[in-house]
Amino acid sequence: MPKRTFNRLDDDKKERIMRAAIEEFQARGFEKAKVEVIAQNAEVAKGSIYQYFDDKKELFLYSVTWSIEHFMTMIDRQTPLKDMDVYEYFLSGGRERFDIVRKEPLLVSFAMDFTQGKYGSLAEEINRELRRVGDEYELRLIANGNKRGTIRDDLDDKLLLLFFQGVTEKFTMRVMEMAKNFKYEPTEDQLLEMNSLMESMVQLLKQGIGRN
């Protein structure tokens, strides 16, 4: 995780550093990525990077965390979870969500690389961080469904989480792959195809974790 000095930065500077890091890691891989290039592209001194992170590895792992949390934040702005149940959350704002993906091809490519094991030497640590971030977010979705009475309450939340992840993660990866194949500019038919995929995912969720 970053040091306090990084957390004290304003949001624009944080984002500039993270985007510069992600661009370098995505283009050159972890081993060949250069901190001096990241610093130059972020318009900060190379020494500043080490004031924010212990080393390149810590910067890389936080890049994974930041990219996932960035997408979550953008989606939450489009579709506030507090305003709907867990199923509506996935079905609403399909066009707006795809527009988010379309606007962030670098983050999509980086996310696909690290979820598909491109950074093999760091795979275990990447997966641990993905589980931590994902579990926190998805348990929030489940808790919201419990409050609204749309998710069954006869099973432990951790069991519900396993099923939830088994369904949503594979579907989400498929949507990201489709988006990349469509060059982030889908036709109306292609957009309908992705929306249909999300509807199928929601039906599976309702059959497995929905409250009768």
Side-chain angles (χ1 to χ4, degrees), residues 13-71:
K13 189 169 185 178
K14 287 180 186 175
E15 182 166 346
R16 191 168 71 244
I17 292 169
M18 297 319 302
R19 288 186 179 277
I22 289 168
E23 182 176 8
E24 177 70 357
F25 288 131
Q26 206 279 327
R28 299 171 61 86
F30 172 73
E31 299 295 342
K32 294 182 179 179
K34 297 184 180 298
V35 172
E36 54 265 37
V37 173
I38 294 171
Q40 181 179 357
N41 290 339
E43 300 177 0
V44 299
K46 178 181 177 181
S48 295
I49 299 295
Y50 293 108
Q51 291 178 352
Y52 305 144
F53 299 90
D54 284 336
D55 51 33
K56 185 172 74 169
K57 179 180 176 181
E58 186 176 68
L59 174 58
F60 175 83
L61 291 174
Y62 188 68
S63 297
V64 170
T65 302
W66 187 89
S67 61
I68 295 299
E69 290 182 341
H70 183 73
F71 276 124

Side-chain angles (χ1 to χ4, degrees), residues 11 15 65-81 89 100 133 137 140:
D11 289 342
E15 182 166 346
T65 302
W66 187 89
S67 61
I68 295 299
E69 290 182 341
H70 183 73
F71 276 124
M72 289 176 176
T73 300
M74 293 179 74
I75 290 171
D76 280 344
R77 287 175 187 157
Q78 294 285 344
T79 316
L81 177 58
Y89 182 80
I100 290 171
V133 175
Y137 187 73
R140 224 169 20 100

Side-chain angles (χ1 to χ4, degrees), residues 60-113:
F60 175 83
L61 291 174
Y62 188 68
S63 297
V64 170
T65 302
W66 187 89
S67 61
I68 295 299
E69 290 182 341
H70 183 73
F71 276 124
M72 289 176 176
T73 300
M74 293 179 74
I75 290 171
D76 280 344
R77 287 175 187 157
Q78 294 285 344
T79 316
L81 177 58
K82 66 181 185 299
D83 294 337
M84 60 191 65
D85 74 17
V86 62
Y87 310 114
E88 292 170 337
Y89 182 80
F90 283 103
L91 291 177
S92 65
R95 293 174 186 274
E96 291 80 4
R97 292 188 191 205
F98 188 82
D99 194 49
I100 290 171
V101 173
R102 182 184 62 79
K103 289 176 180 177
E104 296 286 4
L106 174 65
L107 296 190
V108 170
S109 294
F110 181 59
M112 291 184 70
D113 283 348

